[in-house]
Amino acid sequence: MANDLSLNWNLQTLNKAYQQGYMAGVLGMERVKCPYRGDVVIAAWEAGWEDGKQIGGSVQSIPRTA
């Protein structure tokens, strides 16, 4: 039986992928920069990226005061 890497994940891995995706989104990185393999972990990273992208866009639009 072949070892399916897409099934090799746990809650800690998903949390880490989400957090890294979130930071990538906040920093404005492109979605295609996902460093993960496996559908479930990629989905966690993309969910974080989408949430971070929303926050990143709103942070950049807030005017700074002196």
Side-chain angles (χ1 to χ4, degrees), residues 15-32:
N15 189 34
K16 181 178 178 182
Y18 176 88
Q19 290 177 359
Q20 289 181 344
Y22 183 88
M23 289 306 299
V26 168
L27 294 174
M29 293 177 64
E30 296 177 15
R31 185 181 208 146
V32 296

Side-chain angles (χ1 to χ4, degrees), residues 9-65:
W9 56 268
N10 58 35
L11 187 56
Q12 184 177 359
T13 302
L14 298 179
N15 189 34
K16 181 178 178 182
Y18 176 88
Q19 290 177 359
Q20 289 181 344
Y22 183 88
M23 289 306 299
V26 168
L27 294 174
M29 293 177 64
E30 296 177 15
R31 185 181 208 146
V32 296
K33 299 284 186 180
C34 178
Y36 290 99
R37 303 269 190 261
D39 293 340
V40 175
V41 183
I42 290 172
W45 188 92
E46 288 178 339
W49 183 87
E50 290 172 358
D51 291 347
K53 192 73 170 171
Q54 290 175 353
I55 297 298
S58 65
V59 169
Q60 292 174 357
S61 65
I62 297 173
R64 295 183 180 209
T65 57

